Amino acid sequence: MQLLLDSHVFLWWVENDKKLSKYAKKIISDADNGCYISAATALELAIKTSQGKLKLSSSVSSYMIKHIQN
């Protein structure tokens, strides 16, 4: 199965947020599934951080690179 994670799901997955259901965690962690992130996700995160509505542990680009590679 191919999965396109939206911004919220991406953040919830990376941060191990309880808002992400057990079923979603199972599907995302299944090595047989491909997980993809849209370029729009990076844009959305950049907008939210610039507005002060989102705090990340590093710059958006560093954050994305670190967590997409894992």
Side-chain angles (χ1 to χ4, degrees):
M1 179 180 340
Q2 303 300 314
L3 307 170
L4 178 60
L5 306 183
D6 74 0
S7 301
H8 286 96
V9 172
F10 172 68
L11 287 172
W12 294 342
W13 172 254
V14 168
E15 302 297 331
N16 197 27
D17 195 302
K18 292 180 181 180
K19 292 176 188 165
L20 191 60
S21 71
K22 289 180 183 181
Y23 178 73
K25 289 177 185 179
K26 180 181 176 184
I27 298 293
I28 294 168
S29 63
D30 186 336
D32 291 333
N33 295 331
C35 290
Y36 300 93
I37 308 294
S38 170
T41 296
L43 178 61
E44 290 175 7
L45 298 183
I47 290 168
K48 294 297 182 189
T49 56
S50 71
Q51 293 173 335
K53 295 180 179 180
L54 176 66
K55 301 223 185 253
L56 300 176
S57 57
S58 59
S59 69
V60 172
S61 59
S62 296
Y63 188 88
M64 296 287 294
I65 290 168
K66 176 182 176 183
H67 296 292
I68 289 173
Q69 292 177 347
N70 290 333

